Amino acid sequence: MALNEELAAREELLAKAAMHQAFRSELEAANDEWQAALDDCSQAGNAAACYQKRLTQRIAILVLLNRLFAGPHLPGDAVKACTARGQAFGSCYDNLFAAADTVYAITARAFETSLAAVNIQTPTAPDGGGQASTAEDTFRAWRTAECTALNQSPMVDKAGGVIACQIELTWRELTTLAALLGRKPHWSERVMDYAPAFRACLDKGREEDVDLRIIDVFPDGGGEIIRLMGSRGRYDCAAVAATVSSFTPTAGRIPRPGEAEAIFVPVQGQRRPEIVLASPGGKPADCYETQAIIAAEARLSGWIAVSLCD
């Protein structure tokens, strides 16, 4: 029941994401195949284990899809991602690769369909994919050849080996295709646009709490809500430019799917962002990669921290 609820929440979030209709059609077809595989579990010798495994796999795919189309940018380093998650490296790499390759298959088919709709020829196959019959096979053949060659080079860091390299190349390819299939920039990629509202909400929130950081921005009633977290709890702020119209404690304790996948941590004296990220209610600081941000016109400076963990 818990896995089904998490799956439904991820599906609801993905339904709101911006993407090409060709992708939605491919995703619906994949969902039908997945549902048939899940129904087969009723005949399995250990039905509960079968359901758990297949639901968990599907959630991993939806987590990646949500990150790709409705979340912050994907991490660039599979080794750092698996280190942050604290999992056994072999298992972590296998899980990341399985989800990435499945999502790639759906995305590549959608991209081919969208190209066919406007009668554009598929680009020339990369080296290593000349004998492939589809974009999927072409990319996979090139990915294997490229990572095998890189792994043999004395000039390349071999941490994670061939499989980590393949994950990273797949993430990179997915990011490119998602942009062509309708992905809109996540709020964490638009801090400059949000800077006046962020500054106003942070100033207002300091009357209520300390260690404030912004953990989400989402649509609500025709406007947008900026969600913050502090040492005492979570807060919802509605602001237009530098004017705050409301600032209230968040109703309910359950986070939105995708909440805190990216966090804006404002500069607070001499404190590094890792100290604020590790405050009560947050993930371990190692779960994030950070990038400094300065929006001088709004008097806003700090870091965007993007999650490497689930």
Side-chain angles (χ1 to χ4, degrees), residues 18 47 49 61 64 112 123 155 170 188 217-219 227 236 252 256 280-281:
I61 291 167
L64 178 55
E112 283 200 322
M155 305 300 291
T170 308
S188 63
V217 178
F218 56 93
R227 179 159 290 176
D236 287 347
R256 295 178 69 252

Side-chain angles (χ1 to χ4, degrees), residues 110-306:
F111 185 60
E112 283 200 322
T113 301
S114 65
L115 285 178
V118 292
N119 195 28
I120 298 176
Q121 296 297 316
T122 303
T124 303
D127 292 343
Q131 303 301 312
S133 59
T134 67
E136 290 176 64
D137 292 340
T138 299
F139 173 73
R140 288 187 178 114
W142 169 79
R143 179 179 66 190
T144 300
E146 182 77 359
C147 288
T148 300
L150 288 173
N151 200 53
Q152 294 171 350
S153 170
M155 305 300 291
V156 175
D157 182 1
K158 298 181 180 62
V162 172
I163 190 168
C165 172
Q166 290 181 313
I167 293 165
E168 290 161 18
L169 290 184
T170 308
W171 281 343
R172 193 183 308 166
E173 182 75 358
L174 284 171
T175 300
T176 301
L177 293 179
L180 296 171
L181 289 168
R183 180 189 186 273
K184 295 181 180 178
H186 186 256
W187 70 262
S188 63
E189 301 163 57
R190 299 175 53 210
V191 173
M192 298 304 179
D193 296 334
Y194 284 110
F198 283 4
R199 172 81 274 165
C201 288
L202 288 165
D203 286 345
K204 180 70 174 178
R206 289 193 182 100
E207 301 172 8
E208 308 287 337
D209 208 336
V210 295
D211 279 342
L212 287 167
R213 60 268 198 201
I214 290 160
I215 60 173
D216 204 1
V217 178
F218 56 93
D220 181 74
E224 286 186 312
I225 296 294
I226 297 170
R227 179 159 290 176
L228 302 90
M229 178 179 284
S231 295
R232 299 173 188 167
R234 290 149 60 237
Y235 307 89
D236 287 347
C237 176
V240 176
T243 303
V244 173
S245 58
S246 68
F247 190 97
T248 58
T250 299
R253 299 174 65 99
I254 300 175
R256 295 178 69 252
E259 188 174 295
E261 284 183 339
I263 296 178
F264 176 75
V265 185
V267 169
Q268 299 187 29
Q270 300 298 313
R271 304 178 76 196
R272 293 289 300 167
E274 292 80 7
I275 297 174
V276 182
L277 287 168
S279 297
K283 298 179 183 179
D286 288 346
C287 280
Y288 295 95
E289 57 183 8
T290 59
Q291 175 187 350
I293 299 285
I294 298 176
E297 293 182 3
R299 297 182 297 107
L300 185 73
S301 58
W303 297 267
I304 276 291
V306 176

